[in-house]
């Protein structure tokens, strides 16, 4: 799957094994410090699950953004839903349409799987992300609550 963005020469494709270092850098820019070896391990598990999809944006041969989605059934609806789990554009490429191109590609991919509802969560402090999602047609409809569980002692 390849999509061209209007603002930059951009290709969107499925993530590949060799993208782990670039994906680790993008996760770090998003605020989740990640080593390439950690991303390789994560991607191995993610790629093995057909409910996940990871798309990357490539400009001049360099991965400059990624979007990760997940599809699942829920208790609230009869049909499966999609969820955007991660969306990040490299700091150098922000404001050039890369995020919009990734959203469009992910929405197209999900629509081809007959997914009609997509959700995304963002942290409270990510005001620019909130504005971005609203500009591309997403609406606010609730809150997310998180609790870290204590791991049992050895």
């Amino acid at each position: 799957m390849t999509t061209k963005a209007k603002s930059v020469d951009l290709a969107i494709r499925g993530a590949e094994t060799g993208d782990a270092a670039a994906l680790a850098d993008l996760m770090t820019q998003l605020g989740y410090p990640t080593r390439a070896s950690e991303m390789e391990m994560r991607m191995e598990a993610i790629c093995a699950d057909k409910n996940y999809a990871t798309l990357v944006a490539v400009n001049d041969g360099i991965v400059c953004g990624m979007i990760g989605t997940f599809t699942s059934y829920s208790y609230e609806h009869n049909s499966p839903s999609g969820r955007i789990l991660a969306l990040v554009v490299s700091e150098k490429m922000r404001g050039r349409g890369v995020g919009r191109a990734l959203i469009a590609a992910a929405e197209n991919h999900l629509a081809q799987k007959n997914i009609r509802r997509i959700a995304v969560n963002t942290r409270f402090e990510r005001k620019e992300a909130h504005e971005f999602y609203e500009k591309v047609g997403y609406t606010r409809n609730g809150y997310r609550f998180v609790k870290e569980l204590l791991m049992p002692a050895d």
Side-chain angles (χ1 to χ4, degrees), residues 9-118:
D9 182 23
L10 192 69
I12 308 282
R13 61 166 171 78
E16 301 169 351
T17 306
D19 297 327
L23 293 174
D25 181 54
L26 289 168
M27 286 299 107
T28 299
Q29 289 183 43
L30 191 58
Y32 302 98
T34 304
R35 294 185 313 272
S37 60
E38 292 174 308
M39 186 54 68
E40 287 173 6
M41 182 178 61
R42 293 174 194 171
M43 290 304 295
E44 184 176 317
I46 287 170
C47 290
D49 188 329
K50 66 178 176 51
N51 294 309
Y52 285 87
T54 307
L55 303 175
V56 295
V58 180
N59 174 255
D60 290 333
I62 298 170
V63 172
C64 62
M66 69 81 64
I67 189 166
T69 64
F70 183 76
T71 58
S72 65
Y73 285 92
S74 70
Y75 295 99
E76 302 93 342
H77 304 284
N78 294 332
S79 59
S81 299
R83 179 168 296 278
I84 296 171
L85 299 178
L87 172 63
V88 59
V89 174
S90 68
E91 294 165 347
K92 297 175 191 174
M93 295 296 288
R94 291 181 186 159
R96 298 183 182 185
V98 177
R100 283 180 183 270
L102 285 165
I103 288 282
E107 288 176 351
N108 183 53
H109 174 76
L110 291 168
Q112 289 177 7
K113 295 173 71 172
N114 291 319
I115 302 296
R116 299 289 174 247
R117 182 179 36 267
I118 305 169

Side-chain angles (χ1 to χ4, degrees), residues 1 3 20 34 37 45 122 136:
M1 158 189 342
T3 306
T34 304
S37 60
T122 68
V136 296

